[in-house]
Amino acid sequence: MAKRSHVEGDKITIKKYANRRLYNTASSSYITLDDLAEMTRKKLDFQVLDAKSGDDITHSILTQIIMEEEASGGEQMLPVSFLRDLIGMYGNSMQSMMPQFLEASMTNFRKNQTKLREAFESGIGGNPIAKLAETNLAMMKAATDAFMPGARPKKDDAKADSKRDDELAALKAQMAEMQKKLDKLGD
């Protein structure tokens, strides 16, 4: 059987057979969940199809990879409180909004991760950590307003504004202290 060559940028089709084996049609070879995890890390676009029915089962396979990563005995990424909250969202009226919110949060995290890496690599002055904290705080406020109208106190509530300002000042002070420590490490 001739191997089909994979063109970069094309979506790779993976077929899952009843015997739980995964077949990569681009490389004409059987692969494992570890191989799929590596493909994901390399940002290769793939789709997993049930070989018999043709149904797209990519979501369940990716979820299975996460479960195996979390159970592998290494460092767990998903805290128990997050998992409880996530499970609690199933059946909740907010469930339909969670995928978009989580996607936006992950996109923002990746952008901030890139900005932080660039700031440290280029040695930009100022306080990049504090700027990222402010960006994240603004994003969370916007998300709160969008997903839970009325959850934030009204503008005329001076006591709440004062408390929020105090919390922001404390966060800025913590970020400045962290920046000092990072600057010392860089010297």
Side-chain angles (χ1 to χ4, degrees), residues 21 38 58 100 118 140 165:
R21 293 192 71 187
E38 187 60 30
T58 308
Q100 293 88 355
E118 289 170 356
M140 291 307 292
D165 290 343

Side-chain angles (χ1 to χ4, degrees), residues 85-156:
D85 289 343
L86 191 60
I87 291 167
M89 292 303 292
Y90 285 95
N92 185 313
S93 61
M94 301 294 284
Q95 179 179 345
S96 65
M97 289 189 262
M98 282 304 293
Q100 293 88 355
F101 175 73
L102 292 173
E103 182 67 30
S105 296
M106 185 56 75
T107 299
N108 191 51
F109 176 80
R110 282 191 301 266
K111 285 179 186 174
N112 285 341
Q113 183 182 29
T114 302
K115 287 178 186 175
L116 186 60
R117 186 179 308 116
E118 289 170 356
F120 283 115
E121 287 174 358
S122 65
I124 292 175
N127 193 341
I129 294 175
K131 290 176 186 173
L132 290 175
E134 288 179 25
T135 301
N136 286 339
L137 187 59
M139 185 199 79
M140 291 307 292
K141 285 180 181 178
T144 300
D145 287 343
F147 292 117
M148 293 181 272
R152 281 196 18 196
K154 293 183 173 86
K155 293 283 184 193
D156 59 359

Side-chain angles (χ1 to χ4, degrees), residues 160-173:
D161 284 344
S162 174
K163 181 179 177 185
R164 195 168 39 248
D165 290 343
D166 291 344
E167 290 171 352
L168 184 58
L171 280 173
K172 285 181 179 181

